[in-house]
Amino acid sequence: MNIVILTGAGISAESGLGTFRDKDGLWTRYDLNDVATPEGFARDPALVHEFYNARRANCRDAAPNSAHAALARLQRGFAGGRVSIVTQNVDDLHERAGTPEVIHMHGELARALCAACGHRWPAPDVMAHDDPCPACAAPATRPDIVWFGEFPYHMDRIAELLAACDLFVSIGTSGNVYPAAGFAEEARIAGARTLELNLEPSEARLPFDEARHGPATRIVPDWVQ
Ligand code: BV8
């Protein structure tokens, strides 16, 4: 049995990392056009680095929660087939919970990217635009994050996983952002059953075959055990 799990900001909410669209979410405090688009970065790279430096610090001070731990146990111990974890999150809480393989489709706070030569390296705690690239020395450092209008990472691999999926589980995501918001439908077309584990019903266009609502730290371990 092939299980594909998609996680969003909601799985990290109880670890203290902000979500985006909840009442006190990140997009209520920052305009996403200023901090999560290439245009915003071109306009004011210092503001974008300030936004991601703050999130990197939050992430460092946060700890994985029981939902991350349950998915790590599932991926390590599932004897009935393959468990793939695709995350929209840029934090490293899945990895720190012991998850062997995580597919970060929106990039990672823990990595820096050279906008000039494409080189990637482990991000320092505090990044600035004119930090020289370790490979080409260009002062063109940016967070290795997929912004709006940019092509998400690992899309070919994700498409393969969805085409062979028997069970698709969406955890802690509002279903607002594409292409991730379309994965449940892709899985359903491939014949998969779909399950939503979320605090409340998401805005996904089509209903899931099953939905369980509540905090991830309760409903995810209940589902995994
Ligand atoms: C793309 C950066 C082409 C990382 C993010 C015009 C021009 C260009 C593109 C578009 C356009 N119009 C539309 C698009 C597509 C666009 C898009 O979808 N826009 C939306 C706003 C309409 N998408 C893109 O641009 C993508 N690229 O389309 O390229 C393409 C097309 C097809 C195929 C390939 C390529 C790029 C999208 C990535 C953008 N980057 N962020 C960062 O800063 O973190 S998106 C941002 O939203 C985050 O990455 C986040 O992961 C993502 C999704 O948000 P959620 O994770 O769902 O978080 P949210 O707050 O919304 O919801 C939290 C949920 O958790 C809620 O449901 C809540 O109830 C629940 N919850 C809360 N607490 C708990 C809980 N659940 C359980 N327990 C709890 N305790």
Side-chain angles (χ1 to χ4, degrees):
M1 178 189 209
N2 294 326
I3 302 175
V4 176
I5 298 170
L6 172 70
T7 63
I11 198 170
S12 298
E14 291 162 90
S15 292
L17 298 190
T19 62
F20 294 89
R21 297 168 185 84
D22 288 327
K23 62 184 180 329
D24 53 355
L26 285 163
W27 295 154
T28 62
R29 285 177 278 135
Y30 288 89
D31 179 340
L32 69 82
N33 295 298
D34 292 339
V35 294
T37 63
E39 297 77 13
F41 185 68
R43 254 194 326 272
D44 187 348
L47 172 66
V48 174
H49 276 300
E50 177 198 307
F51 175 64
Y52 286 101
N53 288 340
R55 289 179 61 196
R56 196 171 297 110
N58 282 346
C59 184
R60 202 181 45 245
D61 298 342
N65 61 51
S66 56
H68 298 106
L71 295 188
R73 281 198 310 277
L74 179 67
Q75 189 177 71
R76 282 201 309 269
F78 186 59
R82 179 179 58 195
V83 176
S84 307
I85 295 174
V86 179
T87 188
Q88 300 173 90
N89 298 341
V90 293
D91 63 57
D92 61 351
L93 297 185
H94 281 302
E95 288 85 347
R96 285 162 55 193
T99 308
E101 191 197 348
V102 183
I103 299 172
H104 281 274
M105 65 179 291
H106 288 167
E108 295 173 74
L109 281 172
R111 278 205 319 235
L113 170 65
C114 174
C117 75
H119 178 64
R120 287 183 171 85
W121 67 96
D125 288 347
V126 178
M127 283 169 64
H129 176 51
D130 51 6
D131 288 348
C133 165
C136 74
T141 292
R142 59 165 277 183
D144 188 15
I145 298 282
V146 177
W147 287 325
F148 287 98
E150 296 187 319
F151 206 99
Y153 295 155
H154 310 298
M155 288 304 291
D156 292 344
R157 175 101 180 91
I158 294 168
E160 285 167 15
L161 292 171
L162 293 173
C165 177
D166 301 302
L167 173 62
F168 179 83
V169 188
S170 177
I171 301 177
T173 179
S174 64
N176 266 293
V177 175
Y178 288 84
F183 289 171
E185 204 167 331
E186 281 185 58
R188 184 182 283 111
I189 290 166
R193 278 182 48 247
T194 59
L195 165 65
E196 175 172 81
L197 303 177
N198 204 55
L199 189 63
E200 62 214 357
S202 71
E203 295 161 44
R205 279 171 348 118
L206 295 174
F208 286 79
D209 294 317
E210 183 190 355
R212 300 183 194 180
H213 296 132
T217 53
R218 175 167 59 75
I219 63 175
V220 176
D222 284 355
W223 170 68
V224 166
Q225 51 76 26

